[in-house]
Amino acid sequence: MTGEESLRPQSLMLTFLGDQVLGRDVCVYSGSVIDVFARAGIGEQATRSTLSRMVGRDLLRRQREGRRMYFGLTERSEAVLRDGEQRIWQTGAVNRHWDGTWTLLGFSLPESWQRRRHDLRSRLAWSGFGPLFNGLWIAPGEVDVSALVAELGLSAHVKVFRAHADTGTDIGRMIEETWELSDLAGRYEGFVGRWQHWEDDLPDPADALVLRLRLQTEWLQIVRRDPRLPVGHLPDDWPAEQAEKTFRTVHERLSPLAHEASARLLDLVPARPQA
């Protein structure tokens, strides 16, 4: 499955909102969203369903203007989008400034709690942790998991520590044994393979907005899966730096055309204060 095929409408929608609505205090007309998503190959019914589901999940709010329905951000979606913005533009894909600190998380759950154990492991993996041993997970840097653990109702069953590896520990080997490096490297290499030609090519202006939506959505999905392991302990040919260069170069090339397209296609209105 390619990166493009795996992009869900909600992921594209969040990217679209982060691009066009975040920080502008505006709402966007549903018809504009349908038009843009049609250009991305997503049908009207799927787009409308995505908008409705996101309203139900408190990721969007509705605002009626005459006969037209507009959609704006909620506090929840603003927080999600700010986090994504930070991950792409500030945190980045390459961890060059690791101070040697690790976050260790130990847990012991009753055998009957299989579902909660699965949920905890999934959330830990999403937060950059890998399984050092069965009930002991590790992540580079200082990772605050207090909210995650509390949300799962597992605070009494989890212990968190900060640590440094003892002298003589083979950190590179530990990383290889704990994280699926080949899978992550494959994601970066696949991204470069799909997008590098746009460093030199220019699309039809009508396609630039959708291409940039796909570019950003795919890139965010990759970097969110990356635990940001210290680059000094990764293989010499680690592909994250090249992939990030490709992302930034292509984003810069597409942006002028994408801005022109959005100005032409989008109907925006000022967001009214919510009741």
Side-chain angles (χ1 to χ4, degrees):
M1 179 177 289
T2 69
E4 288 194 0
E5 288 172 337
S6 65
L7 298 182
R8 296 183 300 124
Q10 180 171 300
S11 299
L12 284 170
M13 188 73 74
L14 285 168
T15 300
F16 173 79
L17 295 167
D19 256 4
Q20 307 298 334
V21 178
L22 183 65
R24 299 177 66 184
D25 204 25
V26 296
C27 296
V28 60
Y29 172 45
S30 60
S32 297
V33 182
I34 289 166
D35 187 9
V36 170
F37 275 55
R39 294 165 188 261
I42 298 171
E44 179 176 346
Q45 187 56 47
T47 301
R48 290 190 184 278
S49 295
T50 300
L51 290 169
S52 295
R53 283 197 303 272
M54 292 178 71
V55 169
R57 297 181 60 196
D58 192 34
L59 290 168
L60 283 177
R61 66 183 184 90
R62 293 185 175 99
Q63 177 172 307
R64 183 173 291 281
E65 300 285 341
R67 294 186 174 184
R68 291 191 161 191
M69 185 65 72
Y70 292 74
F71 290 85
L73 301 179
T74 63
E75 285 188 11
R76 184 182 179 201
S77 54
E78 283 204 23
V80 169
L81 294 173
R82 292 292 183 198
D83 178 72
E85 191 176 58
Q86 168 85 20
R87 191 69 178 85
I88 289 176
W89 299 110
Q90 272 104 50
T91 307
V94 183
N95 186 354
R96 297 184 182 88
H97 307 295
W98 180 61
D99 65 359
T101 301
W102 296 94
T103 298
L104 289 171
L105 183 146
F107 62 89
S108 179
L109 306 181
E111 283 299 318
S112 59
W113 289 12
Q114 292 183 6
R115 181 65 194 178
R116 297 174 82 175
R117 184 182 290 106
H118 171 77
D119 289 345
L120 176 60
R121 287 171 173 165
S122 297
R123 296 287 295 275
L124 289 176
W126 189 251
S127 299
F129 284 81
L132 190 61
F133 298 108
N134 187 34
L136 183 64
W137 287 53
I138 188 169
E142 296 191 9
V143 183
D144 184 0
V145 292
S146 55
L148 178 161
V149 172
E151 183 182 335
L152 293 174
L154 297 176
S155 298
H157 301 270
V158 171
K159 302 292 185 289
V160 182
F161 304 88
R162 310 287 183 223
H164 286 75
D166 204 7
T167 303
T169 300
D170 189 336
I171 294 175
R173 182 174 179 180
M174 181 199 74
I175 286 173
E176 289 180 1
E177 293 172 346
T178 305
W179 284 274
E180 293 288 344
L181 292 186
S182 59
D183 178 68
L184 184 57
R187 292 179 186 277
Y188 281 124
E189 290 162 355
F191 180 88
V192 172
R194 284 186 292 278
W195 289 99
Q196 194 170 39
H197 71 95
W198 291 113
E199 292 186 28
D200 302 309
D201 300 341
L202 270 180
D204 185 290
D207 297 329
L209 179 58
V210 167
L211 268 175
R212 196 177 67 159
L213 282 178
R214 289 191 176 281
L215 173 79
Q216 288 185 221
T217 305
E218 186 180 336
W219 180 245
L220 183 58
Q221 287 189 352
I222 294 172
V223 296
R224 280 204 187 282
R225 289 183 172 93
D226 187 342
R228 298 196 75 250
L229 298 160
V231 70
H233 295 285
L234 290 171
D236 292 339
D237 59 351
W238 189 245
E241 186 167 5
Q242 175 59 54
E244 187 165 60
K245 174 182 174 294
T246 294
F247 166 74
R248 290 177 178 265
T249 302
V250 175
H251 187 276
E252 185 176 351
R253 281 182 64 79
L254 292 176
S255 286
L257 291 174
H259 288 317
E260 289 177 20
S262 61
R264 185 174 68 253
L265 294 171
L266 302 187
D267 175 7
L268 303 170
V269 296
R272 294 196 302 267
Q274 291 180 269

